[in-house]
Every structure is written in structure tokens, then in C-alpha cells.
Amino acid sequence: MADVQEKNKEIVRRFNRVYVETGDQAVYDEIVSPDFKNYVTQDAEPGNREEALQFYIGFRSAFPDVKVIIHDQFADGDVVVTRKAYQGTHSGPFMGIPATNKHVTIPVIDIIRLRGGQYVEHWGSADMMGLMQQLKG
């Protein structure tokens, strides 16, 4: 079991360092399952793989130099919890706010359930209020 947990943690690290930081579509296609469910949306129903992809495309457009700093990572069974931060320069519109060219840090906690080496479920919390304060401050 420990080997599977370490492998799952490495998959999550790879998603963050390769896909989030570079936008490598092949990595997204490899790691995110076709039946992926995203439970961070405000909708009653979870978001899907395509909606998550569109979020990341928009995020990377707004913060093209994004780096992911992983602070802590824990695995239990098929679940990986990661405490991390996104750091980048707000170079494009995001959530209706035009580019400010401010360097920001966004603390995030992600919970990922994996099956067969792929993301199948995601829960997360990002400090969006803190981000808005950094962009407007």
C-alpha cells in the first residue's frame, strides 16, 4: 500500500509541476480521467474534466509564469492531500479583473482521489479572498 501511496503522491506532484506550470496538454490527458468529478464548483452537481481544463487554461492565461510550491503532502489509500501555493504574475484577465502585473501567492489545499494512476475526484480550497486583496491592494 505504501508504494501505491508514494506513486499517487508523485502523480499529483507531476500534475502540479508539469501540467499546471507548463500547460502540457498531454500530461492533463494522461492524468485526468475521462470520468473526473470536480467538487469545488458552486453548482449542485460536480464539475467535469472539460470544465476543469477550461479553468486551468484561463488560469494559466492570467498567470503564465505560475509556479507551484508544495508545502506538505499526505496520502491515505487512494487519496492524496496537498497543501501548496500558486505563485505568479497577474498578466492577463482573471475573474473579471484586468491584468495588474502584481506578483501573487494563492494558498491552496487539494484533495485528490486517484484510480489507476488518474485523477477521478477533486475537492479543494483556494484563498480566493486573499487573491482578490492582493490584486486590488
Side-chain angles (χ1 to χ4, degrees):
M1 181 61 96
D3 287 341
V4 170
Q5 291 172 343
E6 288 305 313
K7 181 180 176 190
N8 284 345
K9 286 171 29 179
E10 180 54 37
I11 291 166
V12 172
R13 285 191 296 271
R14 183 168 175 249
F15 179 87
N16 281 280
R17 294 206 172 114
V18 178
Y19 177 68
V20 174
E21 290 186 357
T22 71
D24 185 335
Q25 183 67 41
V27 171
Y28 189 88
D29 292 341
E30 174 189 336
I31 292 177
V32 181
S33 171
D35 62 346
F36 174 76
K37 302 289 184 218
N38 188 14
Y39 294 96
V40 299
T41 66
Q42 300 300 321
D43 301 328
E45 294 295 317
N48 61 36
R49 182 181 195 277
E50 182 62 27
E51 291 166 341
L53 175 63
Q54 292 309 310
F55 169 80
Y56 277 112
I57 289 171
F59 184 82
R60 284 200 34 75
S61 176
F63 302 93
D65 63 345
V66 66
K67 296 294 177 213
V68 182
I69 311 303
I70 295 177
H71 301 294
D72 296 302
Q73 199 173 45
F74 306 95
D76 185 20
D78 59 356
V79 174
V80 176
V81 178
T82 305
R83 184 176 68 87
K84 63 187 181 184
Y86 294 144
Q87 295 181 338
T89 306
H90 182 221
S91 303
F94 186 70
M95 297 181 68
I97 300 173
T100 62
N101 294 313
K102 293 182 179 180
H103 188 78
V104 299
T105 299
I106 310 164
V108 178
I109 296 175
D110 274 330
I111 303 169
I112 305 292
R113 181 178 310 280
L114 295 101
R115 182 176 55 237
Q118 290 188 309
Y119 283 29
V120 292
E121 293 180 301
H122 170 252
W123 298 263
S125 179
D127 184 5
M128 299 309 284
M129 180 70 75
L131 171 61
M132 294 300 129
Q133 290 173 338
Q134 291 174 75
L135 294 179
K136 293 180 179 182

